[in-house]
Amino acid sequence: MKKITTFLCVSVMLQSVAAQSFIQAYKDRADMVTQTNITTNLQEFGNLGIKTTGSVANTNTLNWIKNKYTSYGYTAGQMVESTFTYGSKTSKNLIITKTGTLYPNKFVIICGHYDTINGPGVNDNGSGTSIILEAARILKDVPTEYSIKFIHFSGEEQGLVGSSHYVNNVVYQGGVRKLDIKLVFNLDQVGGVKGNNNNTVYCDEDQGGVSSNNAASAAVTQQLRNCTALYSPLQTAVDPAEATDYIPFEQKGEVITGFFEKIRSNYPHTSKDTFANVDPVYVYNIGKAAVGALQHFATASTTSTLNKTASVHSLEAVKFYPNPANSILNIELPDSKVANFSFEMTNLTGRSLLKTNNETKINVSALEKGVYIGILKVGEQTVVKNILIDR
Ligand SMILES: [Zn+2]
């Protein structure tokens, strides 16, 4: 997690998004992030315990991440474990490489740390880890012009030990730059604060350190904001890049950007950094933004391989409106022929407050003003969204 800044330079300038156009294939793939996968990843990450660098839980988590990549179809040859020492202990970074079609030797790095401190670290940084896994799953067979490295760092909480090792021993060897990096896109602490309307994400811009790379960071951070607007429901704001795994790259002049939660949780680095205290819907939405942006950065194929019928009928496209709702909440299913579905609203601790079957107009007038979770189920499919009641 990043250290607290006493002075936040927040840019909320409205800038043109005209330079970047919407690409339907990118949207289709961003929409392949599922709430179920994000929630499962977060819960499994939480169950792995306190992942202090060099601990058994730290190693178990590395193996859990590796098993995910294997299940997505990545080969052992694409995965590299890179060992570093920290004091008397050792730990590993995990690097997965997907080769680009046009620029195989130029790399877009998407990264985040998996080590935690004092607690299970579901927000810091199970959230970033879960999103990187979803991005890797979805893009596995999607051609990209640039190569992508999905990197899971350890040792972050001891002072960026894993990422510093990577930059100084893998990117640079004997002082010679061995890896041509297009940009570094880091995700750290994007879990949100449960019970809040987490509708905005910080995009991290390099405003310090080496000055030669600041303008390039500003440009890619603007692109990250554009992609977030194009491929997710979230709003963005800019904050200064600091104290997470992109910094060792920044110090070598690389171009960096990243995501960080806008409403900041106080739970990271405590035993309360658990699944119950994050907002899984926020992580899901940042996942969509990340998959959209990663495709843009790596220039993914713009030809959709997605079956159009499947896309139209995907439950993720369900609409709840108006949101915020006052007395009646309407449910619009992506497939009007679906006759059997259930809908439930719970509060943020999961207590069920309302349950209906096969109704598209839900009377919510008995609910108090606030944030709720709506759960729609059709057969085996489930979709979960935040619903606001305002009056
Ligand atoms: Zn962190």
Side-chain angles (χ1 to χ4, degrees):
M1 107 172 209
K2 307 197 298 182
K3 66 173 185 285
I4 308 274
T5 36
T6 48
F7 176 72
L8 270 185
C9 175
V10 180
S11 155
V12 287
M13 280 186 299
L14 284 172
Q15 296 185 44
S16 168
V17 295
Q20 237 170 296
S21 56
F22 174 82
I23 295 171
Q24 185 62 49
Y26 290 7
K27 174 72 162 63
D28 290 344
R29 295 183 196 118
D31 286 346
M32 288 167 77
V33 175
T34 76
Q35 183 68 66
T36 305
N37 285 344
I38 289 290
T39 297
T40 302
N41 289 347
L42 292 170
Q43 288 176 330
E44 289 179 358
F45 188 92
N47 291 339
L48 285 158
I50 306 171
K51 303 149 191 77
T52 312
T53 302
S55 67
V56 171
N58 184 254
T59 304
N60 291 344
T61 305
L62 177 99
N63 290 330
W64 171 78
I65 296 170
K66 275 180 66 181
N67 288 339
K68 289 282 184 192
Y69 281 92
T70 304
S71 77
Y72 304 151
Y74 287 87
T75 62
Q78 288 178 281
M79 296 187 230
V80 172
E81 294 176 25
S82 171
T83 304
F84 63 89
T85 56
Y86 167 65
S88 59
K89 297 188 165 146
T90 64
S91 186
K92 289 173 176 175
N93 298 322
L94 180 66
I95 301 109
I96 291 87
T97 305
K98 170 183 160 56
T99 304
T101 54
L102 202 55
Y103 310 104
N105 297 317
K106 196 162 181 99
F107 296 88
V108 171
I109 292 178
I110 180 169
C111 56
H113 71 94
Y114 71 90
D115 65 299
T116 74
I117 194 164
N118 304 328
V122 174
N123 186 347
D124 184 16
N125 183 33
S127 56
T129 303
S130 298
I131 289 171
I132 296 167
L133 287 172
E134 271 294 81
R137 179 184 70 81
I138 292 162
L139 297 185
K140 155 89 181 24
D141 294 319
V142 175
T144 56
E145 292 187 2
Y146 293 89
S147 290
I148 301 176
K149 283 188 185 288
F150 303 91
I151 306 186
H152 299 269
F153 289 119
S154 184
E156 196 268 356
E157 301 293 7
Q158 284 71 36
L160 319 180
V161 179
S163 51
S164 295
H165 177 271
Y166 183 76
V167 169
N168 293 308
N169 296 274
V170 180
V171 178
Y172 280 81
Q173 291 171 25
V176 179
R177 192 181 192 245
K178 294 286 186 186
L179 200 67
D180 187 5
I181 297 171
K182 184 169 184 251
L183 66 99
V184 177
F185 173 27
N186 188 73
L187 291 101
D188 195 0
Q189 199 176 321
V190 288
V193 181
K194 193 115 183 174
N196 285 263
N197 182 17
N198 302 297
N199 63 3
T200 306
V201 62
Y202 267 141
C203 299
D204 305 342
E205 179 184 301
D206 181 7
Q207 299 172 355
V210 196
S211 58
S212 58
N213 52 2
N214 287 8
S217 171
V220 297
T221 301
Q222 182 57 47
Q223 291 166 27
L224 181 61
R225 299 185 73 185
N226 298 346
C227 287
T228 303
L230 290 170
Y231 304 116
S232 88
L234 296 170
Q235 294 164 31
T236 60
V238 170
D239 76 334
E242 54 165 3
T244 181
D245 286 315
Y246 42 45
I247 292 297
F249 293 90
E250 193 282 332
Q251 289 169 346
K252 292 287 191 184
E254 303 293 353
V255 180
I256 63 164
T257 192
F259 275 145
F260 194 85
E261 65 192 5
K262 170 79 164 42
I263 299 174
R264 190 183 182 122
S265 173
N266 292 319
Y267 293 125
H269 304 182
T270 77
S271 60
K272 290 185 174 167
D273 190 359
T274 59
F275 177 75
N277 287 325
V278 302
D279 178 353
V281 179
Y282 186 56
V283 183
Y284 162 67
N285 286 328
I286 293 177
K288 288 186 181 191
V291 170
L294 184 58
Q295 293 178 86
H296 168 73
F297 291 145
T299 317
S301 162
T302 56
T303 310
S304 193
T305 49
L306 195 66
N307 179 323
K308 207 70 190 166
T309 313
S311 160
V312 170
H313 293 174
S314 164
L315 199 53
E316 299 286 342
V318 67
K319 290 195 178 80
F320 297 118
Y321 68 92
N323 192 6
N326 179 343
S327 57
I328 298 291
L329 176 75
N330 297 285
I331 299 176
E332 186 182 311
L333 290 157
D335 181 352
S336 58
K337 289 188 288 296
V338 171
N340 290 310
F341 60 92
S342 69
F343 177 71
E344 183 177 13
M345 279 179 79
T346 74
N347 66 12
L348 294 171
T349 62
R351 190 160 66 87
S352 183
L353 302 170
L354 177 161
K355 204 164 182 176
T356 63
N357 284 308
N358 310 324
E359 283 181 32
T360 54
K361 290 193 182 301
I362 313 294
N363 185 344
V364 293
S365 53
L367 299 177
E368 288 171 21
K369 178 176 172 170
V371 185
Y372 297 86
I373 294 174
I375 305 160
L376 183 83
K377 289 187 179 170
V378 181
E380 298 288 293
Q381 275 191 289
T382 302
V383 69
V384 180
K385 298 202 180 203
N386 276 351
I387 292 169
L388 306 180
I389 303 294
D390 198 8
R391 55 176 71 88

